[in-house]
Amino acid sequence: MDPALLREREAFKKRAMALPVIGSSKKTSKGSEPGPSAKHRSSKKRAKSKFQRPKARPIEGVDQIKEAAKVAQRSNNPYRILKTVVDMMRQRYKSEMYESLKFEEILSEIDLTDLRTETREWLFEALKDNVRIYHSVDAEKNDVFLFKPVLGLEVKSRLDLLRKLKEFDREGLGGVKMSDITEALAHPEKALKKLDEKGLIFRLVRFDKEEIVFYNNNEFDIKVDEEFRALWRSVGVDHLSEADIEKHLLHVGLAAMQGEARKRKAPSHQKTKRSKKQRPQKILNTHLPEDVLKDYTSSQGTGRPIPT
């Protein structure tokens, strides 16, 4: 074979090897199998989305609260304005919006930016002193406000509620009102259902129809013989009143549960006024004219009328 042709063939191979391979890189980027860097990025995105905080729900009933605030402003009633502001802060908290607001931001949320100066000053001081509002100062030395539930700012989830119920049980405080749980959690029924399925809580309804949630503490569950159960059931307290039972408990050093019993009216020692009996009075016809009356008495006992 011609040596010149062989040299040209070798030179062509070298030039072909030196050229960049563009087609293969496109195939790799568009192919179904991503490179290691793309895999790393996708797993990072999934991890980020997994732990990303859920978006806050829209505030329920905000239109009604704004309308009530406008009515209160027109009537120039600062206490009604304060109530609408607290209601709005409560609904924000229930919608999982746990960020504190400045005073101007609160007025902007409820469309009360045109309040009078004296009303604004009164409302600012009233929010600072309100027991349902948590007042603090941020890093920029601004006064900020946040709704404060009865159970505290630390109860925001199902596990937080379980810790609070355990705390109540440990300190002998009894149970937690359903209204307080509804105020603190965004999805109270869902959380209670999970705890109920695991046997961690039980519910009771009070005489005033208020539902109370208790922690189901199984630590001190003991097995009692049927003999002792029969002795317990044989003791009757039907002849005792609630006051007698409470007195007996105090006598042996046991305290009755406070706040859950019916309030009994204290016996009044006021003397009842006796109604005065009306004495019978003689009825006279003095209001009638004289010519209408006739005298039917007779001096002779005949019973005939005497003409006048």
Side-chain angles (χ1 to χ4, degrees):
M1 196 172 180
D2 192 356
L5 291 175
L6 291 173
R7 286 194 295 270
E8 287 181 6
R9 182 170 176 268
E10 292 296 329
F12 176 77
K13 282 184 178 182
K14 289 180 181 179
R15 287 196 302 271
M17 292 292 291
L19 289 175
V21 184
I22 301 172
S24 61
S25 64
K26 284 184 179 179
K27 185 177 180 181
T28 307
S29 62
K30 288 185 179 180
S32 60
E33 196 68 32
S37 60
K39 281 183 179 180
H40 180 68
R41 285 196 300 270
S42 63
S43 63
K44 201 171 182 181
K45 280 183 181 179
R46 284 196 299 269
K48 188 176 180 182
S49 63
K50 184 179 179 181
F51 296 103
Q52 193 173 7
R53 186 177 178 177
K55 293 183 179 179
R57 298 181 295 144
I59 303 176
E60 295 180 2
V62 66
D63 296 332
Q64 291 84 348
I65 295 174
K66 288 181 178 180
E67 184 62 31
K70 287 297 181 184
V71 172
Q73 183 183 10
R74 286 195 293 268
S75 62
N76 195 21
N77 190 332
Y79 292 98
R80 290 180 64 184
I81 295 174
L82 175 63
K83 182 183 180 303
T84 55
V85 170
V86 175
D87 289 343
M88 188 272 295
M89 298 291 284
R90 180 188 291 109
Q91 291 303 115
R92 284 188 81 255
Y93 193 90
K94 283 181 61 63
S95 301
E96 298 178 299
M97 301 172 70
Y98 304 127
E99 299 82 10
S100 300
L101 294 180
K102 300 176 184 176
F103 183 67
E104 294 297 331
E105 292 173 341
I106 293 174
L107 297 182
S108 177
E109 283 271 346
I110 205 169
D111 293 344
L112 288 178
T113 53
D114 55 344
L115 276 178
R116 295 189 304 175
T117 305
E118 57 270 19
T119 307
R120 292 166 72 97
E121 293 175 355
W122 181 90
L123 183 61
F124 179 76
E125 295 297 329
L127 284 175
K128 288 171 68 174
D129 298 334
N130 197 286
V131 294
R132 307 310 308 276
I133 300 295
Y134 177 71
H135 167 249
S136 60
V137 180
D138 61 3
E140 300 175 356
K141 302 296 179 64
N142 295 319
D143 293 281
V144 290
F145 303 91
L146 179 66
F147 179 75
K148 182 170 65 176
V150 175
L151 297 179
L153 297 173
E154 65 275 8
V155 179
K156 296 177 181 177
S157 66
R158 172 168 50 90
L159 297 179
D160 296 337
L161 175 61
L162 181 59
R163 277 193 289 270
K164 181 62 71 173
L165 289 170
K166 288 181 179 179
E167 178 186 335
F168 270 52
D169 179 73
R170 185 171 59 252
E171 297 180 2
L173 299 176
V176 177
K177 293 181 181 178
M178 185 64 188
S179 56
D180 296 342
I181 297 174
T182 306
E183 187 180 69
L185 300 183
H187 307 284
E189 285 296 341
K190 187 177 178 181
L192 290 173
K193 184 180 178 182
K194 289 281 186 183
L195 295 175
D196 206 358
E197 288 174 353
K198 295 180 179 180
L200 296 172
I201 61 170
F202 65 93
R203 309 188 196 186
L204 294 178
V205 179
R206 286 195 319 193
F207 61 90
D208 58 354
K209 305 299 177 65
E210 178 77 35
E211 189 174 3
I212 311 295
V213 181
F214 295 85
Y215 172 62
N216 189 15
N217 191 354
N218 297 320
E219 271 184 57
F220 306 103
D221 286 355
I222 57 175
K223 197 170 182 180
V224 182
D225 294 337
E226 188 61 34
E227 180 184 356
F228 293 104
R229 292 186 185 183
L231 287 173
W232 173 266
R233 296 191 189 102
S234 64
V235 178
V237 292
D238 297 337
H239 61 287
L240 298 176
S241 64
E242 291 184 8
D244 295 333
I245 296 173
E246 187 174 350
K247 186 178 178 181
H248 178 71
L249 289 174
L250 293 173
H251 180 69
V252 297
L254 298 174
M257 185 179 291
Q258 301 295 326
E260 304 301 329
R262 259 191 198 88
K263 294 181 179 179
R264 297 186 293 271
K265 292 184 178 179
S268 59
H269 300 287
Q270 296 179 355
K271 293 182 178 179
T272 56
K273 295 182 179 179
R274 294 182 179 179
S275 58
K276 295 181 180 179
K277 294 182 178 181
Q278 295 183 353
R279 295 180 179 177
Q281 297 179 354
K282 194 174 182 179
I283 301 174
L284 304 175
N285 294 325
T286 53
H287 61 286
L288 298 175
E290 294 182 1
D291 55 349
V292 176
L293 299 176
K294 292 183 180 181
D295 190 1
Y296 289 90
T297 60
S298 173
S299 59
Q300 300 171 354
T302 57
R304 296 178 181 174
I306 299 174
T308 55

